[in-house]
Amino acid sequence: MRGGLLVFADAPDGVEVCRRRFGGLTTLERGIRTLARAGVDRLLVVLPDGVEPKLAKLTHRLDLELEFVRWGRTPAMTFAEGECVLVLLGDHVHHHSSLSAFADACGGSLEDRTLVAQVTPAPAQSLSFYGIENTTDGPLFTQTPAAEITGAPSVSTGAFLCDGLAPHELVALRQTPLDFFAARCHGEVAICDGDADLWRRVADRHSARQARAMLFGQVTKKTSGPVSRHINARMSIPISKVLIETGISPHMVTVLFVLTTGLATAWLMARPEPYWRLALAGILWQMAAVLDRCDGEIARVKLCESKFGAWFDTITDNIAYLATYVAFLFGVHHLHPDKPWALNLGISAIGAMIVALGVMYNYALKTGSGSLQNYLVGFRAHVPAHEKNGVYRVLEQYAFIAKRDFFAFVHFICLILGSFELLYAYTVGGLHIIVFAVLLSQRKMLAGHKRRNAADPVAIPMPRQEARQR
């Protein structure tokens, strides 16, 4: 599936929906980015009169051939007969995984079907939804208010797969997409089940907030640690919802909030007396972990994740880590100048951290990832079970202690309790264990990556085309 069609209603409410802004993007720009993320690389956008497409630079840089066309005009972009085109109604907002799953479930092919529609139970919104019924006279599309929907009947998510000739006819005839499909479809509409938690319909300010809440409900990664999922997310998501509407970029969040908070923690830790310095350092270090989620959450909701962003986030995080652990040395020397062995252990731990980071950066470069967290994912998932000895299994079981969310939470608890020495021992021991685990696993990890590459080579990306407007 390569072609895509994004359709906004030829009516005043279509103009309003196009311009509706939530989650840092207009509905128009969100639809374009979502379809691009779902695998579309040739997209025709049908706009009502009165809407001038204003796109951010990032959208223009997408690997996407893009054309805008008004209702009643003839598009320059063509799709071949038999080509499978993904159609999205502009007032239906999807998480990109919903559309990807839809296209994958259909195999990107219509086969002998004229039209395939994605359906789910109606989401919790007080709007009207489109029902689909196959009758002897052809498909029947009905619009029903949510209050009149009883039980859990399936409704259209606004996503369809149709033949490549349909977009030209639809635009030229100025019919609504559902009227066009009802008139053109021969035989039954094929149905594909989706997930009601991955889409919302947008008609007004309230429903736009519901769509934003849906998108933020999907920002936590499956690889996130338990502290990140159950504690940090409860603080980071409300913060991200506020920050995203200011237009601030994820990079600026990283620099202004995450990095500065981490460096402030290091400054406080360098002289851990009186107690308020320890307590404030603990609070700031925990907040740095919370805010570290915000840049990723904003990037995922705005669909502006990039490899550069991942590397930028990783490098700034590690600058803050290194500064804090060096500050530990000053702190332990300040509290225990008569115990040089404690200082030497700290120096050894920082050396261990540098070695571990070197190995993990090497793995990230070879695997094409900008996140060192992928090393922890691979540590568990990418090494065959028969290659894991007893020590490896023990380290795998407790790999969660190397995640930032857990490390930061332990720092927070120890510093609030005023236990600098306990935290120092935990950090020194933890860094040595981490380097041991990394050195033990690096060969197996790289071998696993080579096996995966041999089985599933990466496709070469298509060149980007400039947008056209008609």
Side-chain angles (χ1 to χ4, degrees), residues 212 216 236-248 298:
R212 185 187 64 172
F216 272 104
S236 66
I237 290 177
I239 294 171
S240 296
K241 286 180 178 179
V242 173
L243 291 177
I244 200 170
E245 302 301 345
T246 67
I248 190 171
I298 291 172

Side-chain angles (χ1 to χ4, degrees), residues 1-318:
M1 188 272 301
R2 296 281 185 175
L5 180 67
L6 178 61
V7 185
F8 290 91
D10 186 19
D13 58 347
V15 175
E16 183 180 348
V17 168
C18 273
R19 295 172 175 170
R20 178 70 60 187
R21 188 176 184 87
F22 61 95
L25 296 173
T26 62
T27 310
L28 168 61
E29 192 154 23
R30 181 170 298 284
I32 294 171
R33 293 191 188 187
T34 302
L35 285 165
R37 186 64 64 89
V40 169
D41 62 14
R42 299 172 61 239
L43 178 61
L44 180 63
V45 183
V46 186
L47 297 175
D49 292 333
V51 175
E52 292 298 327
K54 296 180 180 179
L55 306 181
K57 291 181 180 179
L58 179 62
T59 306
H60 282 294
R61 291 199 298 266
L62 290 173
D63 185 16
L64 182 69
E65 183 181 351
L66 181 64
E67 181 184 353
F68 297 98
V69 65
R70 306 288 179 186
W71 286 99
R73 303 286 184 88
T74 302
M77 184 181 295
T78 59
F79 302 103
E81 182 178 1
E83 182 178 355
C84 189
V85 176
L86 177 59
V87 180
L88 179 62
L89 304 185
D91 60 347
H92 290 65
V93 174
H94 283 248
H95 187 268
H96 64 86
S97 62
S98 170
L99 299 181
S100 298
F102 177 40
D104 291 344
C106 296
S109 172
L110 291 174
E111 297 178 350
D112 58 348
R113 300 166 294 190
T114 306
L115 183 71
V116 182
Q118 186 189 47
V119 299
T120 71
Q125 291 184 282
S126 56
L127 297 173
S128 296
F129 296 101
Y130 300 107
I132 303 174
E133 181 183 353
N134 285 308
T135 69
T136 55
D137 296 326
L140 177 65
F141 295 90
T142 57
Q143 188 170 358
T144 307
E148 299 177 14
I149 297 176
T150 58
S154 294
V155 299
S156 169
T157 69
F160 303 88
L161 290 172
C162 70
D163 182 84
L165 295 182
H168 274 69
E169 299 176 23
L170 170 64
V171 176
L173 293 174
R174 299 186 75 119
Q175 285 183 294
T176 67
L178 298 185
D179 288 344
F180 174 79
F181 289 145
R184 187 180 185 277
C185 187
H186 306 294
E188 294 187 348
V189 175
I191 299 300
C192 180
D193 292 330
D195 187 337
D197 293 330
L198 297 178
W199 71 279
R200 292 292 183 271
R201 189 167 175 233
V202 172
D204 51 29
R205 187 174 300 175
H206 178 64
S207 56
R209 286 197 297 268
Q210 291 177 317
R212 185 187 64 172
M214 177 273 295
L215 294 169
F216 272 104
Q218 308 300 320
V219 294
T220 298
K221 295 185 288 188
K222 294 180 180 179
T223 56
S224 296
V227 174
S228 179
R229 291 196 307 271
H230 302 300
I231 298 176
N232 295 355
R234 295 180 182 274
M235 295 181 280
S236 66
I237 290 177
I239 294 171
S240 296
K241 286 180 178 179
V242 173
L243 291 177
I244 200 170
E245 302 301 345
T246 67
I248 190 171
S249 71
H251 300 330
M252 293 303 294
V253 173
T254 301
V255 173
L256 294 178
F257 300 107
V258 184
L259 181 60
T260 55
T261 305
L263 294 178
T265 302
W267 177 75
L268 290 166
M269 293 286 288
R271 287 185 67 86
E273 286 182 332
Y275 165 75
W276 69 265
R277 292 179 67 94
L278 278 183
L280 183 56
I283 293 170
L284 289 178
W285 195 236
Q286 175 62 15
M287 284 307 301
V290 170
L291 293 167
D292 190 39
R293 282 183 54 101
C294 292
D295 53 7
E297 289 168 355
I298 291 172
R300 285 188 282 279
V301 170
K302 292 182 71 172
L303 295 165
C304 61
E305 299 164 274
S306 67
K307 188 176 292 186
F308 172 80
W311 276 113
F312 186 78
D313 185 53
T314 296
I315 291 171
T316 51
D317 283 351
N318 287 321

